[in-house]
Amino acid sequence: MKINRVKGTYDVLPEESSKWQQLEQAIRDLTKVYDFLEIRTPMMEYSDVFHRENDLSDMVTKETYDFLDRSNRKLTLRPEGTAGVIRSYVEHKLYAEQSLKKVYYIGPNFRYERPQKGRYRQFSQFGIEAIGSSDPMIDAEVIMLSYDFINKLGLKDVKVRLNSLGDKLSREAYQSALKAHFEPHRKTLCSDCQVRIDKNPLRILDCKVDAKHEAVLHAPTPIQYLNESSKAYFDQVIKYLDAADISYELAPRLVRGLDYYSHTVFEVEAKIEGFGAQNVLGGGGRYENLVEELGGPQTPGIGVAFGMERLLMAIEMENPSWFNQHHLDVYIIQFNDALKKEAVKIAHDLRAQGIKTNMNYLNRSFKAQLKEALRFNAKHMIFLGEDEYKKGYVAIKNSETEVQENIKIEEIVSYLSKTIYGEEL
Ligand code: AMP
C-alpha cells in the first residue's frame, strides 16, 4: 500500500537538506555574535499554553492541532514558538536571575491552514526572544539582528516595516477608536470581523478577507493614539535604529497576527516574484503580559520569528549562489573488482583525515564511475588500476587543473592532505 505525506507537509530530500543545514549554520553564527543561546522546547504542550483566555487570533482559535492523548490530557502541537519558550522560562524560574534572557530556537510548528506556496501545515521557524527588559535598546537589537540576518543571506529587496501599538492605555484608546470607526460598517464586514469589532477590533486590520475593504484601508492608526510615554518609547527605538544605520519604513497599519503584542511591532518583507501574499519572511514584537499570563511575574519580552521555508525560497530566487554546491574531495575510481579491498582501505584512511570521499558501490563501468565523479563534483579522482597498484602506486587527477600524478600508495593520504589542506600531516 502506498501512502503519501500528510497534506500541507513536505519532505526535505537529501539533495535539499544541505541548504537547510547551511541556513541553520548562518543562524547559529549570527545568534552567537549577538550572544543569544539556544532553547529547545517540546513540540507539544498542554493546550492551555496556547489557548489562553485573551488570545483570539485565528492561529489560536482556528488553526491549532489539538488532541487528547491516551490519558485524556488536552495537548496542542505548537503553532508558534514564543508561548512554549515563555512556559519554559516560567517553569524553570529563569526570571529569578533578574537578568535579560536572550534565547533563540529553530524548529517545526503546526497550523491547520490552507496549504499553498510558502504556506504549510508543518513549517519551521527560527525565532529569538529577549525576556526581562523594557529598554527600547533591546527592541532595536532584535530588529538589528533581523536586519543583519537578511543581509547575511544576500537578500536585497527587503524591507523592515515598523510600527508601535503603545502601552495598555494607548492600546485601549486605539481599540475604542477602531470600534467606533468600524461600527457603521459592521454589516459589510466579514462574519469574523463582525465578532472582532466587539472582541478585538485590532484583528480586523489583519483580516485576509477584508484586507481591501474601504473601512480597513482608512482605519485610524495606532500611532495617533500613543500616549506620551509610548511615543517616547517608540522614538527611542527609532533613535537606536538610526544610530546603527538600519533602514526601515514606518507601517502605520501594521498590527501583527498575534494578540499579545504591545509597543514595537515589525515585519520583514521580501519583494520576490511569485511569492504573492506570502512575502513576509518574519515578524515580531514586544509583549508585556505573556509571562504573567503563563503564571510568572510581570516580565516584558520581545521576539521575532522567521519562516525557514520562505527564507530558503527567497534565497533560491534571489541569491542561489549563496548555497554551497555539493562536492567531494575525492572519488575513487576502481578499474576492476579485484581492487575493492584496496579501495575500501584508501577511503577509510582518507575519511579518517576528514577528507570527503566517495566511490562506486554498484559495480559500474569505468566510464560510469567517471561520470558519477563529475556529477558529485569530485575535486580529485584516484584511479585505482591493477597494474599500477601492483607496482605500488595510483594515479591522482585534480579535476580543476586536470593535472594527473602518479603517487605512491603509502603517500596517498599525505599527498591529498597537502593539496586539500595546504599542509602535510
Ligand atoms: P507568525 O508566527 O504568524 O508571525 O509567522 C512568522 C513567519 O513564519 C511568517 O512571516 C512566515 O515566514 C512563517 N510562517 C507562518 N505561518 C506559516 C506557514 N503556515 N507556512 C510557512 N511559513 C509560515
Side-chain angles (χ1 to χ4, degrees), residues 18-273:
S18 68
K19 295 178 180 170
W20 280 83
Q21 290 170 357
Q22 210 186 321
L23 180 59
E24 285 164 15
Q25 193 54 49
I27 290 168
R28 295 190 198 287
D29 292 345
L30 179 75
T31 46
K32 190 168 162 187
V33 297
Y34 273 85
D35 200 22
F36 279 72
L37 300 180
E38 187 176 9
I39 184 163
R40 300 188 188 196
T41 63
M43 272 180 250
M44 53 184 175
E45 297 276 357
Y46 289 116
S47 297
D48 293 345
V49 170
F50 306 107
H51 292 285
R52 296 180 312 276
E53 212 183 310
N54 317 332
D55 204 329
L56 296 173
S57 59
D58 278 3
M59 180 193 78
V60 168
T61 54
K62 295 185 188 161
E63 296 170 359
T64 48
Y65 280 87
D66 299 319
F67 60 99
L68 292 176
D69 75 2
R70 289 175 191 271
S71 300
N72 281 330
R73 295 181 186 93
K74 282 187 187 162
L75 304 182
T76 297
L77 297 184
R78 67 177 178 213
E80 54 106 17
T82 306
V85 168
I86 300 300
R87 191 272 309 143
S88 171
Y89 176 88
V90 172
E91 183 167 349
H92 298 281
K93 298 193 175 56
L94 301 186
Y95 48 80
E97 296 168 25
Q98 305 217 320
S99 61
L100 174 66
K101 278 276 160 217
K102 303 205 293 186
V103 298
Y104 78 94
Y105 58 83
I106 303 174
N109 295 329
F110 305 83
R111 293 184 196 173
Y112 197 79
E113 293 189 89
R114 197 165 61 77
Q116 51 187 293
K117 192 176 159 84
R119 190 176 286 288
Y120 309 95
R121 289 187 171 170
Q122 176 177 334
F123 64 99
S124 274
Q125 282 185 338
F126 150 53
I128 65 173
E129 308 292 341
I131 314 160
S133 164
S134 47
D135 189 321
M137 238 168 85
I138 191 70
D139 301 46
E141 178 162 316
V142 170
I143 296 169
M144 253 145 69
L145 183 149
S146 304
Y147 181 83
D148 287 355
F149 177 47
I150 295 299
N151 278 323
K152 210 175 140 124
L153 305 179
L155 300 175
K156 290 193 191 67
D157 223 351
V158 168
K159 280 193 268 182
V160 174
R161 303 176 63 239
L162 185 61
N163 199 12
S164 172
L165 303 175
D167 62 8
K168 193 163 176 273
L169 288 175
S170 308
R171 219 180 124 131
E172 278 167 10
Y174 178 53
Q175 280 181 323
S176 317
L178 279 181
K179 260 186 199 166
H181 171 80
F182 283 119
E183 193 54 60
H185 304 279
R186 183 182 279 273
K187 290 214 172 80
T188 56
L189 291 167
C190 76
S191 56
D192 282 341
C193 282
Q194 297 187 13
V195 178
R196 289 173 183 137
I197 295 185
D198 305 311
K199 290 204 166 163
N200 189 349
L202 252 79
R203 289 278 68 76
I204 301 175
L205 301 185
D206 247 4
C207 177
K208 287 163 200 153
V209 181
D210 283 333
K212 300 237 157 65
H213 194 293
E214 278 298 303
V216 173
L217 296 175
H218 297 108
T221 63
I223 297 279
Q224 297 168 274
Y225 294 87
L226 295 187
N227 54 21
E228 281 307 306
S229 61
S230 299
K231 191 164 176 336
Y233 191 97
F234 194 43
D235 287 346
Q236 291 278 60
V237 175
I238 286 175
K239 193 177 81 183
Y240 294 132
L241 290 176
D242 288 343
D245 256 339
I246 306 294
S247 30
Y248 55 83
E249 58 184 57
L250 297 179
R253 288 192 177 77
L254 178 68
V255 294
R256 304 271 310 126
L258 309 180
D259 267 352
Y260 46 62
Y261 290 118
S262 57
H263 284 293
T264 316
V265 286
F266 70 100
E267 271 182 1
V268 180
E269 212 182 81
K271 206 177 167 142
I272 296 170
E273 261 176 68

